[in-house]
Amino acid sequence: MNEAVLNRPQVSRTVLPVLGAASFCHLLNDMIQSLFVAAYPVFKGGFDLSFAQLGLLTLTYQVTASLLQPFIGHFTDRRPQPYSLPFGMGMSMAGLLVLSSATSFAMLLVGSAMLGVGSSIFHPESSRLARLASGGAHGFAQSLFQVGGNVGSAIGPLLVVAVVLPHGQGSLAWFAFAALAGVVILTLLGRWYKRNGHAVRRPRVVHLAANLPARRQVIGGLLVLFCLMLSKWFYLASFTSYYVFYLMEKFPLSEGDAQIYLFIFLASVAAGTLIGGSVGDRIGRKKVIWVSILGALPFALILPYVGLGATVMLSIAIGLILSSAFSAIVVYAHELVPGRIGMISGLFFGLAFGLGGIGAAILGVMADHFGLGLVYQVCAWLPAIGFLAIFLPDIEHVDKA
């Protein structure tokens, strides 16, 4: 097995109740985050924001999350912090309350930053908890954990249509009760984490297996994964931040109808995430990564030039195919850099947030100057970066767990 021997108890079978609870808390966490993005039309109208300002909101939230996650993950690799999980959810709850009562763009920025900090605390340790409860089915565990977040992200637009649009910005505060429920569940998960001997400080000197990937393979593999992440998250940013506006601009749709179509896209992302991890356990993560990034290319190239029905169907295909990569990427990176679960999880979840935020900011400026139509025409070529997957080192014969 290509992991460091950390002298910790290992879970010999998949603990589905723990995985399910972690996934549900991920749902609550990402539902809160997605309420923020899905409420952009409310903020845009209430504060007269430009697309560039909306991009700045996304950048503030996602970069705040991305910068902290690798450092938190590195720290918790040595000093696991099981009760950081409810603290992170509490921070997200506080950010939501700030957003619900914001009276200026500056307050919106503060609220978005607090959401980012909450996510940066939540993701590394909860991802580690999912791996510990996996019983060796690492791809399945990461997929189940991540699909909770995807489902939460998909629910956000529906909740905005049902609650926030009719009742206004202040109704965001009602969802603080969901965050409070998350704090309670995560406290119980923290107890399981500690009671089963996982919250043990890692020794400074660890004994590594002899069949680890070479340093050159590790560096090269991480660079390729970074390029693939850039492709994936820049393209997804065009949907998560601007798909509603694109549909309303190109087709005669109301804001509520456009939010429903965003939910359909995000639901396809959730389904693709769950499929990708399980398939990766069976056929290998590298194959899934290769197909999932590059496979979205033909659908992406067609999407800007078709009608509403075809746009919806193509977006579903894009969501299913493109999202299947992330679980495979995270587990592949765990195997590429063994013994650094928290740091690698934090790094890749951080990259997801950071690249998505940078992409949203850049695309917002493009939309202001050239229109959303051109944004989707340019972004359609991003999946072509998937050709770089051919350079990923073949490491999976070392550990097929």
Side-chain angles (χ1 to χ4, degrees):
M1 184 173 180
N2 69 332
E3 288 191 89
V5 179
L6 303 181
N7 297 321
R8 292 184 188 171
Q10 299 296 315
V11 176
S12 59
R13 58 184 177 81
T14 304
V15 186
L16 285 175
V18 172
L19 283 177
S23 181
F24 179 69
C25 290
H26 200 186
L27 182 154
L28 295 177
N29 181 80
D30 284 23
M31 180 192 76
I32 292 169
Q33 318 296 326
S34 73
L35 284 171
F36 167 56
V37 177
Y40 276 7
V42 176
F43 298 142
K44 191 176 191 298
F47 295 91
D48 194 26
L49 303 181
S50 67
F51 284 122
Q53 286 176 305
L54 291 178
L56 183 59
L57 280 177
T58 306
L59 179 66
T60 301
Y61 155 59
Q62 293 184 328
V63 169
T64 303
S66 68
L67 290 178
L68 292 177
Q69 286 201 47
F71 296 103
I72 291 173
H74 177 70
F75 176 77
T76 57
D77 276 335
R78 292 193 174 278
R79 300 178 182 223
Q81 304 291 322
Y83 293 111
S84 65
L85 294 170
F87 180 79
M89 183 68 77
M91 181 64 73
S92 293
M93 179 175 66
L96 188 64
L97 292 173
V98 170
L99 290 170
S100 70
S101 59
T103 56
S104 65
F105 180 62
M107 286 187 69
L108 292 178
L109 289 173
V110 170
S112 66
M114 293 177 72
L115 287 180
V117 172
S119 281
S120 71
I121 297 171
F122 173 82
H123 283 102
E125 202 71 345
S126 57
S127 180
R128 185 206 310 280
L129 185 147
R131 187 173 177 92
L132 289 171
S134 70
H138 300 147
F140 168 75
Q142 282 297 320
S143 289
L144 184 60
F145 169 69
Q146 289 171 26
V147 81
N150 292 144
V151 171
S153 296
I155 291 173
L158 295 182
L159 294 175
V160 167
V161 172
V163 179
V164 182
L165 291 181
H167 300 286
Q169 175 188 343
S171 62
L172 288 169
W174 300 351
F175 298 99
F177 291 106
L180 185 60
V183 169
V184 173
I185 295 171
L186 287 169
T187 300
L188 296 175
L189 286 178
R191 290 179 182 173
W192 176 88
Y193 192 132
K194 190 172 184 178
R195 187 170 58 246
N196 284 272
H198 298 302
V200 178
R201 185 171 178 174
R202 199 184 79 183
R204 290 188 175 273
V205 179
V206 295
H207 302 286
L208 299 176
N211 52 357
L212 293 174
R215 181 180 178 85
R216 175 180 55 81
Q217 286 184 310
V218 171
I219 295 173
L222 289 177
L223 287 175
V224 171
L225 291 178
F226 171 80
C227 292
L228 298 178
M229 291 281 287
L230 185 150
S231 166
K232 171 185 167 65
W233 290 103
F234 265 52
Y235 191 36
L236 283 181
S238 70
F239 283 89
T240 55
S241 293
Y242 304 113
Y243 190 48
V244 168
F245 300 108
Y246 173 74
L247 293 175
M248 292 171 63
E249 179 181 294
K250 187 172 181 180
F251 308 106
L253 292 178
S254 67
E255 184 177 312
D257 288 340
Q259 292 279 12
I260 297 297
Y261 288 126
L262 175 61
F263 163 75
I264 292 172
F265 169 76
L266 294 174
S268 72
V269 169
T273 300
L274 186 59
I275 293 168
S278 297
V279 172
D281 281 337
R282 288 171 171 78
I283 69 172
R285 257 69 75 170
K286 184 176 176 180
K287 293 177 182 176
V288 172
I289 293 168
W290 171 264
V291 172
S292 64
I293 302 292
L294 190 60
L297 181 60
F299 303 101
L301 291 174
I302 298 170
L303 183 136
Y305 306 103
V306 297
L308 177 59
T311 296
V312 174
M313 296 306 297
L314 289 170
S315 69
I316 291 172
I318 291 167
L320 279 169
I321 296 170
L322 200 61
S323 62
S324 63
F326 191 49
S327 297
I329 287 174
V330 172
V331 177
Y332 180 92
H334 286 163
E335 296 171 353
L336 191 64
V337 190
R340 297 290 187 271
I341 304 302
M343 185 189 74
I344 290 297
S345 297
L347 176 63
F348 279 86
F349 277 104
L351 279 174
F353 283 105
L355 292 173
I358 293 169
I362 293 173
L363 297 179
V365 173
M366 286 180 60
D368 281 336
H369 286 84
F370 305 109
L372 284 169
L374 183 65
V375 167
Y376 280 86
Q377 291 173 21
V378 172
C379 287
W381 291 97
L382 287 172
I385 296 175
F387 279 111
L388 293 177
I390 197 172
F391 297 110
L392 287 173
D394 185 13
I395 61 169
E396 293 183 288
H397 64 282
V398 176
D399 181 10
K400 281 286 187 181

